[in-house]
């Protein structure tokens, strides 16, 4: 088990080049990043269902996928802000963009950084919808994968184990 995998996100965030222009290629890169992340998540779900420690593997998956998800949107906000300085109420650096991304994810909305242009608002709405999907659907899928793995270890008979029947 690779429990240090979530820590790999930190140097990746610091070294991702964010000096790209804002064009169709950038939008495609964001979409491809999210699709690749969904693919990684699908692979991890299969691994969870076959794991000897499905709960630990599910926690590890969330600890890895969550930060990567936030970094993808943070990078998009940095690129947007650098290419169109009027997109937000202030120009966003890496830390500002990550702060804004986490604020949106947590639905806190302090109001100190706000999307101003239509493009920034659309990108923020996409993140909001993706947040709901990540929190709701992905959490449910991961819990389902854990349940499948645990049922498989219990023999998959569908009948409660001896410990469950004594409750």
């Amino acid at each position: 088990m690779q429990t240090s995998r979530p820590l790999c996100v930190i140097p990746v965030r610091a070294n991702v080049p964010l000096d790209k222009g804002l064009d169709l290629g950038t939008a495609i890169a964001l979409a491809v990043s999210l699709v690749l992340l969904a693919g990684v998540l699908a692979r991890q779900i299969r691994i969870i269902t076959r794991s000897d420690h499905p709960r630990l593997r599910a926690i590890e998956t969330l600890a890895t996928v969550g930060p990567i998800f936030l970094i993808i949107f943070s990078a998009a906000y940095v690129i947007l802000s650098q290419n169109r300085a009027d997109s937000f109420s202030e120009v966003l650096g890496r830390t500002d963009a990550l702060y804004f991304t986490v604020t949106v994810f947590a639905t806190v909305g302090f109001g100190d950084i706000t999307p101003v242009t239509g493009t920034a608002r659309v990108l923020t709405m996409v993140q909001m919808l993706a947040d709901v999907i990540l929190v709701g659907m992905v959490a449910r899928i991961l819990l389902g994968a854990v349940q499948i793995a645990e049922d498989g270890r219990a023999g998959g008979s569908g009948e409660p184990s001896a410990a469950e029947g004594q409750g």
Side-chain angles (χ1 to χ4, degrees), residues 45-127:
I45 289 167
R46 283 194 308 275
I47 291 170
I48 290 167
T49 61
R50 297 179 179 118
S51 175
D52 290 335
H53 306 284
R55 290 178 190 267
L56 185 58
R57 182 63 80 170
I59 291 167
E60 178 188 39
T61 298
L62 281 176
T64 304
V65 170
I68 292 171
F69 173 84
L70 295 174
I71 287 170
I72 290 170
F73 276 97
S74 176
Y77 293 135
V78 169
I79 292 168
L80 179 60
S81 182
Q82 287 178 350
N83 285 271
R84 292 199 47 202
D86 64 337
S87 294
F88 296 92
S89 54
E90 60 185 73
V91 177
L92 304 181
R94 287 176 187 250
T95 302
D96 300 324
L98 184 60
Y99 165 80
F100 178 72
T101 304
V102 172
T103 302
V104 171
F105 182 80
T107 68
V108 176
F110 291 122
D112 53 343
I113 300 173
T114 57
V116 177
T117 64
T119 304
R121 289 178 176 162
V122 167
L123 181 58
T124 304
M125 286 188 293
V126 167
Q127 184 200 340

Side-chain angles (χ1 to χ4, degrees), residues 48-49 54-56 58 141-151:
I48 290 167
T49 61
R55 290 178 190 267
L56 185 58
I141 290 169
L142 287 175
L143 289 174
V146 167
Q147 188 65 47
I148 289 168
E150 289 179 345
D151 288 348

